[in-house]
Amino acid sequence: MKDKTIRKIVIVGGGTAGWMTAAPLAQNLGGNCEIVLVESPDIGTVGVGEATLPTLRYYNHALGLDSADFVRKTKATFKLGIEFKDWGHLGNRFFHGFGDFGPNITGRAPYLYWLRMAREFKDMPSYENWSMATMLARSNRFIPPYGDPQSVTNAFSYAFHFDAGLYAAYLRDYAMQRGVTRIEGMITGVEQHPETGFITAVALRDGRRVEGDLFVDCSGFRGLLIEGVYKAGYDDWSAMLPCNSAQAVPCAKAGPLTPYTTSTARSAGWTWRIPLQHRTGNGHVYCDGFTTDEEASRVLLEGLDGSALDQPRQLRFTTGRRRRSWVKNCVAIGLSSGFLEPLESTSINIIENAVGWLIQFFPDRDFRPELADEFNRLVSSRYEYVRDFIILHYKVTKRSDSEFWRYCAGMSIPDTLHHQIELFRETGHVALHDKEGFSVNSHVSILMGLGIVPKRYDPFVDMMDLRQLQVHFHKMRETIQRAAAAMPDHGDYIQHHVIAPAAADLHTNPRMSA
């Protein structure tokens, strides 16, 4: 039988997507396949995505990375969730914590029982009081879960804030130590087989050619291969996600080192605040049809809690996804496959999934189209699921103080999201269209945080004695409060366990941070 094994993979583009693709391929393929990554110093990377989801821990663990070393090298902090301000209505404030609201009760999620309790007792505390992640964030405390995983005090997860450029460099070193070759150069041409249309090589400006069997397009928004060569098409979702611009700027550290991202709704979009060990990342995502770049910059800079360390960097984007991310022998990963704004820190998670699916459905040189079909189905489904979750934040709003928010309240949304909203509004239940995506508790945090109070609750919960239920919730709340109070301050935990050398200098000499 003729050997059809993939002998050489060419990754086009570096940055976060390129090196997150190279590292696991190098680990899984070992020395059985040559891997080359081509990147140009003349082409910048977006690199503003500094907040992640808890799934990054599993990606890092699969690579065998030392967690403490990773945190130090990327100057990371810990993330228990996202604090939302002024979403839903002005003055609104809620938290999307990573974790649940306690152990199930007779097979049902505890929030369903909380809905009954809130109806029976008008002074019932917020459901957020039963989220360990939320209570830790409120008190600015952090320690990784340890001990009994079934304990209510360990019923939380965490992610990271990090410097995206440092993370890409960290993975570059990892991949190159495992045999990946980095080539620096500008791609000026793409060669294809005259009969099959498969890409056979990319040509560099200096005359070099890089041949390969499988080409992974990590070239960012431009989609050099997937769109430039194969015209894969793009589904534009701007009508449902109207933000199309962003400005990003770092500022000096100020105040306590918070273990969460902050998202504040503005008149034409929203701003983010992401604390790192050595600085704070800030940005403004907005629609330029409802404001000007100058006004967006003013809003961003006036909202900083430390001195700006640079001028705001301007970004433009069109929210959507490629109709096909795998065509012939080309697979697009990262921004080349699509873009969803960073409201819930999903970009890196989508890269993790795409790389995992590429490894799962790894082809030989026949490149059976059935493999591409399944990959494309999974990628498309994940983009649509995340799209709906992000649209939810905009659609469920009582804000009418600006043209932007009036547009969001009235815009058409996918049927899948309409079903999700109405199911929860009428019954308190959540439909999970992607069981590997955001959990039931994440949906509950957003839906209830935005002010949707279900009209009914699950009748199953009436089977439990009300007094017994009241005692259970009271004890669980006290346990969470005591556990949170006993945990260390987030900044102190970092200082004592995972402080980066440069950040340690800033910590001991505040004048260096100016």
Side-chain angles (χ1 to χ4, degrees), residues 132-173:
M132 189 68 192
T134 303
M135 298 307 291
L136 285 172
R138 283 180 181 173
S139 57
N140 212 43
R141 296 177 181 275
F142 177 81
I143 192 170
Y146 67 94
D148 181 6
Q150 301 303 316
S151 168
V152 65
T153 58
N154 287 323
F156 70 97
S157 189
Y158 66 94
F160 305 99
H161 306 120
F162 60 36
D163 186 309
L166 293 178
Y167 186 54
Y170 189 68
L171 293 180
R172 179 192 65 205
D173 293 343

Side-chain angles (χ1 to χ4, degrees), residues 264-341:
T264 304
R266 304 294 185 179
S267 62
W270 58 280
T271 55
W272 77 71
R273 177 186 180 276
I274 300 173
L276 279 68
Q277 291 191 29
H278 59 309
R279 60 173 170 79
T280 300
N282 309 273
H284 188 181
V285 177
Y286 60 96
C287 178
D288 63 7
F290 295 97
T291 190
T292 64
D293 293 337
E294 292 74 20
E295 175 63 11
S297 181
R298 183 193 67 78
V299 170
L300 172 61
L301 293 173
E302 288 185 357
L304 301 183
D305 53 13
S307 302
L309 301 177
D310 203 346
Q311 293 298 312
R313 179 185 175 193
Q314 183 74 59
L315 300 168
R316 305 288 186 196
F317 55 84
T318 301
T319 300
R321 61 112 199 269
R322 300 282 174 207
R323 296 193 180 112
R324 294 179 296 165
S325 292
W326 183 337
V327 180
K328 295 186 181 293
N329 66 333
C330 173
V331 178
I333 293 179
L335 297 179
S336 59
S337 71
F339 180 80
L340 292 168
E341 62 178 75

